[in-house]
Amino acid sequence: MNALPEALLRHPGLWQGKARHDRHAYVSTGFTALDEQLPGNGWPRGALSECLVTRPGIGELQLLLPALVHLAGEGRWMVWIAPPYIPYAPALGAAELNLAHMLVVNTADETEALWAAEQALHGGVCSAVLLWSTVSDVRPLRRLQLAAEESRSWAVLCRSKDFSRYSSPAALRLALEVMDGRLAVQILKCRGSVPTAPVIVEV
Amino acid sequence: MEAARAYAPPSPKSDGQQGRNTRQRLWLALVFPHFPLETGCRGVAGHEPVAVVEGQGTRARILACNQAARKAGVSIGMPLSAAWAVATGLQTVSQNTAVEAAALRGIAAWAGQWSSLVSLVEDRPYGLLLEVGGSLRLFGDLEELTTRIRAGVEELGYRARLGVAPTPLAAWLLARINDRRPVRQCETLAGRLAPVPLFFLGLEKNTYKALGNMGVRSFGDCQRLSRGGAARRLGPELVHYLDRALGRAADPRPAYVTPAVFMQELELLAETSALDALRFAARRLLLELEGFLIARDGAVGNLELGLRHRRQADTCIAIRLLVPGRNARHLLALLRQRLEGIQLPAPVTGLWLRVDKVLVSAPSATDLFGSVEQREEEQQLLVECLQARLGVDAVQGLERLPGHRPERVWRYCAPGTKSPAAKSEMTAPRPLWLLACPRILQHMPRIESGPERIQSGWWDGEDIVRDYYTARTSEGVQLWVFRELRGEQRWFIHGYFA
């Protein structure tokens, strides 16, 4: 095999199989079964992750919560952009999240939400950036992914499962659904090989 | 040798003692050799040929020009018409004493952060004299201080020559000959100043002429003249000058008093609407403001940036800060948001920055907790950025409140508000998603646990009596539902455990 051209190797979107996983570049999901299936054993930081849900409320926050709690120790902002409902402070407090680091951004439209997410990723003052969106165009998502790559933030985009048909520049794509009263997480895309069977998460 | 002895004045007896008791004075001189050029074009980043023109009409001559212009063949003293002939695209600025004086005051106000005594030198070459003997301890050492001042001045758009000596005049002369080695002791001054050419001394014309006739070419030559003879033949001027330079006579300098309000302007060489160009110019002004504020330990809550147009009224951008601040980078980031959002009616020819009210700054602790403070400021910056575009109400924090009513145990608050940890009085779990308004249940879900009766609020008329349950839909989604225990006793969904 010929070596890849230098320019191609430098491309941030290209994952090289031999590269070792940096432990600090990942944050554990808090669910052992899921961690085992993910490259780096957790959510990637400095990259965009996508959660595709059949409908909001099926358990996506339970899935994100352990990582949020883990990142809260950094004392930086945790930004909720255009959440579908109100993040309920008593429940967040009960999970030992410091509410002083929460930032809720309610936006009028998609453009504002994407802009806000990009701003939050720049400057490295956020440990987590959570965005709820219905954007389908790939270009703004690519911008988001690039912004995430330049940051150390954990960036999560939550969209409807309808978007799983479209391609996405996100480094990790998870489809969430409820199976027999439990949350089943199907890994649609990740760096490295993609497992086929969904992972059941006990939340 | 006899002459030298003759020159030496009777030294005051208490001299040595005085030196030990009082803090040693140390002056730092800043000479701006390219001042007319820099005041004209510091608002622009480019490297196009630029020249400063003195005089009008056919008498117009080149007073100064930049590297690019010189490369193109422009030289100082050249008639303007000739300069245009050799350098096409040469941009010109008319020499303007008022602009230069205002610019010098701007740097002086900025320099107040380094010294408690800043004095202006308002003659070509323009410059400043800073008494830094008292500032050394604060800023580390002399090396550190001069490096920071030099870099700071460069960021404002000026190049300066620095000289350091125990007397203002000696510091000035060292800066003129670009001698970067500082002189700390008066005793070594005579030797170090010896090579200074005579015409740097700034004496009367007649004195120059007489000295020239005597074959005196430098400061060192002057020192070799006999004191009495020099005074007799040339008048007291030269003797007094040498005494001041060498620290044998007092040389008080008037301190520049900064005005209470900040107002600085910047001309752009050519009209522009380019955001980058405007930001570049605005940065220069904001840096000046930052120094001005540090000098008086102040901060701003409101500032106004004006964009000048050729034939229209200025575009004014008012910026309000959540927390009074002075960090130029912070202010620039806010300004950038605003600039991106406005529609310019015409290209911009110049900028001005105005602050009418300087607030007292919260005590800063840059030395002790610099990193924490800086991080908090950066955190704050994100909030201000988002609020500048989305509106203040769109960006909020979360806070817990004591009580029982689910709608009232939390509220939106200013981002970063540290709420006193409202101790958990919950017995049953709470959902992560709360609906802004409870929704009437269409299909009855399967109840999993409950009820938890919440009955509260009789005192303010918004009392509730509800039984809360956790439930699960047929799909398996976990809900937080309640049943009103009054009226129609309807079922509502109030949250998702998500």
Side-chain angles (χ1 to χ4, degrees), chain A residues 55 57-62 65 74-77 80 83-94 99-100 102-107 112 115-116 119-120 125-126 132 178 181, chain B residues 337 375 378-380 382-383 385-386 389-390 394-400 406-407 409-410 412 415-418 426 430-436 472 475-477 480 496-498:
Chain A
R55 42 168 298 184
I58 63 164
E60 68 278 14
L61 288 191
Q62 301 280 1
L65 199 60
E74 294 185 1
R76 298 186 289 155
W77 290 124
W80 306 61
Y85 307 110
I86 299 160
Y88 196 37
L92 297 175
L99 291 176
M102 298 296 150
L103 200 59
V104 181
V105 182
N106 291 307
T107 54
E112 279 191 354
W115 173 83
Q119 291 299 312
V125 292
C126 301
W132 281 263
V178 181
Chain B
Q337 294 304 330
R375 198 178 68 180
E378 279 173 0
Q379 298 247 41
Q380 203 56 44
L382 172 66
V383 176
C385 259
L386 293 172
R389 168 142 168 200
L390 306 175
V395 185
Q396 282 166 316
L398 296 171
E399 188 178 20
R400 282 179 76 181
E407 292 95 337
V409 293
W410 77 282
Y412 283 130
T417 305
K418 290 184 180 67
M426 300 183 299
R430 290 287 180 265
L432 284 160
W433 282 139
L434 186 77
L435 270 59
R472 207 176 275 275
E475 291 165 280
V477 177
W480 200 41
Y496 292 102
F497 283 86

Side-chain angles (χ1 to χ4, degrees), chain B residues 453-466:
Chain B
R453 178 152 306 174
I454 298 181
Q455 182 168 13
S456 182
W458 50 268
W459 54 87
D460 60 10
E462 291 185 29
D463 52 326
I464 58 165
V465 189
R466 296 172 182 170

Side-chain angles (χ1 to χ4, degrees), chain B residues 122-196:
Chain B
E122 282 192 276
D123 200 2
R124 259 178 231 156
Y126 286 89
L128 295 176
L129 290 163
L130 277 63
E131 202 287 302
V132 294
S135 326
L136 287 184
R137 286 256 311 263
L138 183 60
F139 297 109
D141 59 357
L142 191 60
E143 178 82 32
E144 165 97 25
L145 183 66
T146 50
T147 311
R148 282 171 73 172
I149 292 179
R150 194 188 298 277
V153 165
E154 245 165 62
E155 285 207 286
L156 294 183
Y158 303 100
R159 266 175 306 158
R161 287 184 182 159
L162 269 63
V164 178
T167 67
L169 214 44
W172 182 257
L173 292 175
L174 287 175
R176 291 290 316 264
I177 59 168
N178 209 8
D179 186 342
R180 291 182 173 209
R181 292 166 302 153
V183 178
R184 302 293 284 263
Q185 304 299 330
C186 279
E187 291 77 53
T188 48
L189 267 181
R192 292 286 301 280
L193 289 178
V196 176

Side-chain angles (χ1 to χ4, degrees), chain B residues 272-288:
Chain B
T272 180
S273 300
L275 211 58
D276 278 341
L278 295 180
R279 223 164 50 215
F280 179 87
R283 180 166 176 271
R284 297 247 141 119
L285 290 175
L286 289 171
L287 283 168
E288 263 186 54

